[in-house]
Amino acid sequence: MTNAIPHHRPAWVPLAGHQLRVSGVHFDAIRIQGVRGEQVAAELIEAADGDAGPVVCEAVGFRWVYFLLAPGAAQTCEWPLGVQRFGSRGGSRTVTYIGVPALDGNTWPLQWYSEPTVTAPYVEAGRLRAVLGPLGT
């Protein structure tokens, strides 16, 4: 699903197909599985009047939904159970790659649920956290 706001292609978005990007460099990522991730994405887009920032979905497997936040932003909130955080880990040797699709063309098995825009180049961590509700749910 894409919104009607004009394309904005940050440098980390490939021109065609899809590419892996290291989390914590161009963006942090919050990952939520399947239907729950899709529901959170829909609520986030509604809360943001259609301009939620970049959200990527996988069409196969666990159907993960990735919410792409500004670098360092994933550490600014406490996230509920079932939500995975990927970003810079302050010296950790763990590296996580996130698939990023192009804005147009065949990007299977990845697709944009919400594209980056000039006004929302990243998902706002606080808004996403508010959509997720209280901790422990």
Side-chain angles (χ1 to χ4, degrees):
M1 175 192 323
T2 59
N3 53 36
I5 298 168
H7 282 326
H8 167 68
R9 193 186 70 78
W12 45 267
V13 174
L15 291 171
H18 51 79
Q19 294 182 347
L20 296 176
R21 300 287 189 233
V22 178
S23 64
V25 176
H26 301 289
F27 53 80
D28 283 0
I30 298 298
R31 180 170 87 168
I32 304 173
Q33 187 175 350
V35 172
R36 180 176 179 218
E38 293 169 4
Q39 289 171 336
V40 169
E43 290 175 27
L44 178 70
I45 292 165
E46 184 177 335
D49 293 327
D51 195 16
V55 179
V56 175
C57 303
E58 293 180 344
V60 296
F62 291 109
R63 294 180 30 230
W64 293 107
V65 179
Y66 294 86
F67 300 84
L68 307 184
L69 285 59
Q75 278 70 0
T76 64
C77 296
E78 191 173 344
W79 301 98
L81 294 174
V83 173
Q84 296 176 339
R85 174 180 71 185
F86 301 103
S88 56
R89 300 228 194 270
S92 171
R93 294 176 189 247
T94 302
V95 176
T96 303
Y97 292 90
I98 308 294
V100 177
L103 295 175
D104 295 305
N106 182 5
T107 62
W108 192 89
L110 302 175
Q111 67 179 4
W112 290 104
Y113 203 93
S114 174
E115 295 177 0
T117 66
V118 171
T119 53
Y122 298 103
V123 170
E124 289 182 27
R127 180 177 278 155
L128 176 58
R129 182 64 195 87
V131 167
L132 285 167
L135 290 173
T137 59

